[in-house]
Amino acid sequence: MADAYGDRQKVKRLYYPNCVVYGSSVPEGFWDRLSRENLTNGLIGRCLVFEAVDYVPYQEPRHKDIPVDIVKRVACWRDFKSHSGDLAGVLDGGSPRVMQWTPEAKKRLHNHAKQIAHKRMSEEPITAAIWSRTAEKTSKLAMLFAASRYSGEQMPDITLDDANRAVRLCNYLTRRMIWRATEHVADTQFGRDLVTVQRVLESNRGQWLTLSSISKQTRSMEPRQRKAVLTQLMTEGTIEG
């Protein structure tokens, strides 16, 4: 806003300030490039990360008509007016409609938020930062679940079922995010190299690995770096050489 005082052209008005970004990536490439700062500054905590477990078999492309019910619901939201009056067509979307919730749903989401706030007090910084946004995401998901039932008539209330489904989903995604972050993120290059080798060992758990096999699976590492990591793991007793 400071620039706007000298140049009125830089004043921007946002009519639809609710930005949603959908992105996709190869799982390992995504997690490998996260830093400790990404995890503690609230960026990743604002995301919902869904992982595909594996590739799926080939499927023949088929043209299929979109179900009528889906088309009808999308049309309802397209034509939705949050307010009436002379400026309704100009400022549509600028006056949000408040969705109501049942007493049971409100209590469930409130208790969930309190449990998370209490849990963060005893967690280390990264874990606490990731959990910090979970209650907010849970409430938004519960609202979206309810909104998905809107069919052009009365706006649905957020129900206990919506709240429970949102809690289960967000808790699962948060725990998985913490596990993946612990598995991939380190503060130093040596730490990142250590994590890389540990992932190779974990993926081959129960098998004897030769130095040649480990080298092939960690080609991005310099021999000197690989040797230092293996020495550290042997010193800790994690591996035997």
Side-chain angles (χ1 to χ4, degrees), residues 4 24 42 55 57 93 101 117 137 140 150 156 160 169 199 209 229 231 240:
S24 60
Y55 290 104
W101 44 20
K137 291 187 294 187
K140 288 181 179 179
Y150 176 65
L160 180 59
L169 178 56
R199 288 205 308 274
L209 291 178
V229 169
T231 299
E240 296 179 358

Side-chain angles (χ1 to χ4, degrees), residues 98-110:
V98 177
M99 293 188 67
Q100 304 298 323
W101 44 20
T102 65
E104 296 82 8
K106 182 177 181 179
K107 181 178 180 180
R108 179 71 171 100
L109 293 171
H110 180 64

Side-chain angles (χ1 to χ4, degrees), residues 64-193:
K64 191 174 183 180
D65 292 334
I66 300 175
V68 176
D69 182 62
I70 293 180
V71 175
K72 179 182 176 181
R73 290 175 187 273
V74 172
C76 288
W77 280 110
R78 179 198 61 193
D79 300 331
F80 177 76
K81 301 296 182 183
S82 58
H83 55 279
S84 59
D86 295 338
L87 297 179
V90 179
L91 299 178
D92 183 44
S95 179
R97 175 77 60 83
V98 177
M99 293 188 67
Q100 304 298 323
W101 44 20
T102 65
E104 296 82 8
K106 182 177 181 179
K107 181 178 180 180
R108 179 71 171 100
L109 293 171
H110 180 64
N111 288 339
H112 182 243
K114 288 199 302 182
Q115 290 170 358
I116 289 174
H118 179 72
K119 182 180 180 63
R120 286 182 306 173
M121 302 299 291
S122 59
E123 299 285 2
E124 56 90 25
I126 288 181
T127 302
I130 294 176
W131 273 112
S132 294
R133 298 290 176 179
T134 303
E136 178 184 344
K137 291 187 294 187
T138 302
S139 295
K140 288 181 179 179
L141 274 179
M143 179 186 69
L144 290 174
F145 290 149
S148 69
R149 297 194 299 274
Y150 176 65
S151 59
E153 299 175 359
Q154 183 176 353
M155 186 66 68
D157 290 342
I158 301 170
T159 67
L160 180 59
D161 285 343
D162 296 323
N164 284 332
R165 185 181 304 140
V167 167
R168 290 195 300 270
L169 178 56
C170 274
N171 282 357
Y172 168 77
L173 293 178
T174 301
R175 293 188 183 104
R176 184 166 180 82
M177 183 180 290
I178 291 170
W179 170 64
R180 294 288 263 164
T182 302
E183 189 181 46
H184 286 259
V185 178
D187 293 328
T188 64
Q189 183 58 52
F190 179 79
R192 288 189 284 273
D193 292 339

